[in-house]
């Protein structure tokens, strides 16, 4: 559905800051190169602690980070072949989470029924992906498609972010091109205009027109001179739970959001830049360019964003009943999508539990209930074409 792009005042309820996640999606939890053979780490997806380990064959596995014997965190244990061994008593678990050995039991003695929950996991685009929801439907959900990853001529720059803020605050920042005002000292974009806005059941897509000027714009091929202004459209899409943006074959961004808790989020981003250099030279300079762009450009932008997002979270935590005014309809659409996905999950899981299946009980219990009316009825309609 195409929505109106008019910038007008809309009162927003803060219920979106209480929304949990829909766990029935793939979430990036870390960079694949950071976990070597025989290593085990802890990751957290919306208050679910998960032990991720790489076995002796190099294959990744994910188990609930709690031994079913005493509850000790399994990530404190060690990898033994294809199994994960609890550090406390040496109970050994296979990739399915089943206890397969206890070192102090007599030979032939029956093992207790001890099962740690396992999670679907895969490795792609240099990232580790975990599906924290209903394992049976993981295969029905696809990862984001990053076409630039396999194409030549693109400089790839990976960036990690850590925010003390609810994931909705972070997601709004990613959709909000109007905050270029914040980055003006970094020669960022300016004079943004919202041209198009579309919303589906699973995604929000916005097209903005923005202007660029400066040394960075020249480096990226946006202009011939640093003092020349170039105006181009940029597309930003929030396909729950991740983002991607594209600037006319010049650059692309894939941003994977990891909600950790109601007040903490992480992100793993892959930037792609079309650099005007011969391929052989670009390949040789790639490590240096990655470091320079990350340290002196991208992390500077991110640091400014983190400051604003964490300030927003502090104000919400101090006064959760405060009402706010928003004029960007793309932000309202993102909030609506976040709430819709969470409510869909809670409703479907409640139905599942009524039928006697309790696999997702722990996920639901960790989710913070969202008010039934996160948006007033008139606010829900206010950015649709027939209400302008």
């Amino acid at each position: 559905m195409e929505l109106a792009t008019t910038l007008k005042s809309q009162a927003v309820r803060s219920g979106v800051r209480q929304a949990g996640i829909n766990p029935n999606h793939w979430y990036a939890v870390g960079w694949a190169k950071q976990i070597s053979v025989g290593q085990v780490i802890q990751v957290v997806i919306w208050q679910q602690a998960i032990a991720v380990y790489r076995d002796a064959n190099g294959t990744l596995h994910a188990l609930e980070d709690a031994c079913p014997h005493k509850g000790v965190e399994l990530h404190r244990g060690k990898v033994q072949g294809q199994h994960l061994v609890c550090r406390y008593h040496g109970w050994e678990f296979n990739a399915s989470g089943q206890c397969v050995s206890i070192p102090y039991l007599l030979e032939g003695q029956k093992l207790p029924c001890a099962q740690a929950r396992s999670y679907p996991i895969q490795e792609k685009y240099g990232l580790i992906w975990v599906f924290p929801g209903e394992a049976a439907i993981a295969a029905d959900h696809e990862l984001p498609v990053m076409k630039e990853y396999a194409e030549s001529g693109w400089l790839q720059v990976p960036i990690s972010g850590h925010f003390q803020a609810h994931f909705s605050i972070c997601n709004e920042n990613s959709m909000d091109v109007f905050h270029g005002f914040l980055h003006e000292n970094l020669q960022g974009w300016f004079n943004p205009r919202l041209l198009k806005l579309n919303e589906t059941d699973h995604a929000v897509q916005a097209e903005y027109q923005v202007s660029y000027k400066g040394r960075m714009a020249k480096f990226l091929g946006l202009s011939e001179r640093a003092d020349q202004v170039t105006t181009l459209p940029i597309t930003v899409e929030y396909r729950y739970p991740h983002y991607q943006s594209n600037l006319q074959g010049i650059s692309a961004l894939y941003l994977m959001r990891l909600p950790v808790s109601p007040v903490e989020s992480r992100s793993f981003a892959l930037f792609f830049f079309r650099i005007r250099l011969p391929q052989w030279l670009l390949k040789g300079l790639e490590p240096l360019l990655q470091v320079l762009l990350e340290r002196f450009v991208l992390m500077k932008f991110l640091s400014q964003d983190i400051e604003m997002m964490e300030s927003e979270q502090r104000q919400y935590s101090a006064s959760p009943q405060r009402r706010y005014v928003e004029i960007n309809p793309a932000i309202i659409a993102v909030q609506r999508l976040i709430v819709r996905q969470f409510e869909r999950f809670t409703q479907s899981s409640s139905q599942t539990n009524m039928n006697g299946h309790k696999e997702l009980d722990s996920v639901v219990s960790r989710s913070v209930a969202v008010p039934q009316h996160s948006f007033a009825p008139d606010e829900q309609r206010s950015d649709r074409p027939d209400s302008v």
Side-chain angles (χ1 to χ4, degrees), residues 54-237:
R54 195 183 292 277
D55 68 21
N57 296 327
T59 304
L60 288 170
H61 307 285
L63 301 179
E64 184 177 9
D65 197 14
C67 178
H69 175 213
K70 290 287 190 178
V72 171
E73 296 164 319
L74 285 175
H75 82 272
R76 299 183 182 278
K78 65 178 181 178
V79 178
Q80 191 165 290
Q82 281 73 54
H83 300 159
L84 184 57
V85 181
C86 179
R87 181 181 178 186
Y88 199 4
H89 291 86
W91 288 31
E92 188 172 333
F93 300 89
N94 64 17
S96 299
Q98 181 181 0
C99 181
V100 295
S101 176
I102 296 176
Y104 49 88
L105 284 187
L106 297 176
E107 186 176 352
Q109 187 174 347
K110 184 178 179 181
L111 291 167
C113 182
Q115 179 84 32
R117 181 184 173 188
S118 63
Y119 298 82
I121 187 170
Q122 61 177 305
E123 183 176 340
K124 191 173 184 180
Y125 303 125
L127 287 160
I128 301 169
W129 305 79
V130 173
F131 195 90
E134 188 177 353
I137 63 173
D140 300 330
H141 292 72
E142 298 180 349
L143 299 182
V145 177
M146 305 183 196
K147 61 183 182 64
E148 294 85 359
Y149 191 86
E151 292 181 355
S152 61
W154 291 97
L155 172 65
Q156 177 183 316
V157 184
I159 297 289
S160 301
H162 189 190
F163 323 94
Q164 299 302 318
H166 188 273
F167 71 95
S168 65
I169 292 175
C170 305
N171 289 346
E172 291 169 28
N173 170 269
S174 300
M175 177 59 74
D176 185 15
V177 173
F178 290 114
H179 81 270
F181 181 85
L182 171 67
H183 304 304
E184 58 184 350
N185 69 316
L186 297 177
Q187 298 183 334
W189 62 93
F190 57 96
N191 289 344
R193 286 183 53 209
L194 180 60
L195 302 178
K196 295 179 182 178
L197 180 62
N198 287 279
E199 180 181 11
T200 69
D201 202 32
H202 303 281
V204 174
Q205 186 182 79
E207 182 178 325
Y208 293 87
Q209 177 180 284
V210 292
S211 297
Y212 299 87
K213 181 182 178 182
R215 293 186 299 275
M216 188 60 186
K218 180 181 178 182
F219 175 73
L220 294 175
L222 297 174
S223 60
E224 293 296 327
R225 305 189 318 271
D227 60 350
Q228 179 181 338
V229 175
T230 302
T231 301
L232 293 170
I234 181 171
T235 301
V236 184
E237 181 178 37

Side-chain angles (χ1 to χ4, degrees), residues 258-314:
L258 176 61
V260 177
S261 79
V263 292
E264 183 181 2
S265 305
R266 293 183 180 273
S267 66
F268 303 94
L270 284 169
F271 285 85
F272 295 89
F273 299 101
R274 182 75 80 179
I275 306 298
R276 295 186 298 178
L277 292 173
Q279 184 62 28
W280 64 269
L281 182 56
L282 176 59
K283 202 67 180 174
L285 292 175
E286 185 174 49
L288 176 61
L289 290 174
Q290 286 176 332
V291 171
L292 292 176
L293 282 171
E294 176 186 1
R295 184 175 303 173
F296 298 108
V297 180
L298 300 176
M299 289 306 298
K300 288 188 175 184
F301 278 88
L302 183 59
S303 294
Q304 291 181 339
D305 285 333
I306 290 174
E307 181 184 0
M308 295 297 102
M309 289 185 283
E310 293 187 347
S311 175
E312 189 174 344
Q313 178 65 57
R314 286 192 297 271

Side-chain angles (χ1 to χ4, degrees), residues 23-37:
N24 289 324
H25 294 275
W26 288 97
Y27 289 84
V29 297
W31 301 104
K33 67 180 182 181
Q34 293 178 334
I35 177 168
S36 56
V37 170

Side-chain angles (χ1 to χ4, degrees), residues 20-27 45-46 48 50 117 119-120 130-135 137-138 141 167 240-242 259 338 341-349 359-367:
I21 68 167
N22 182 347
N24 289 324
H25 294 275
W26 288 97
Y27 289 84
I45 307 177
W46 197 247
Q48 296 181 71
I50 300 171
R117 181 184 173 188
Y119 298 82
V130 173
F131 195 90
E134 188 177 353
I137 63 173
H141 292 72
F167 71 95
Y240 190 97
H242 307 300
I338 289 171
Q341 283 283 332
F342 178 56
E343 290 179 340
R344 172 175 298 164
F345 164 69
T346 54
Q347 291 165 6
S348 64
S349 60
E359 182 188 24
L360 300 182
D361 276 351
S362 61
V363 183
V364 179
S365 66
R366 291 182 177 94
S367 297

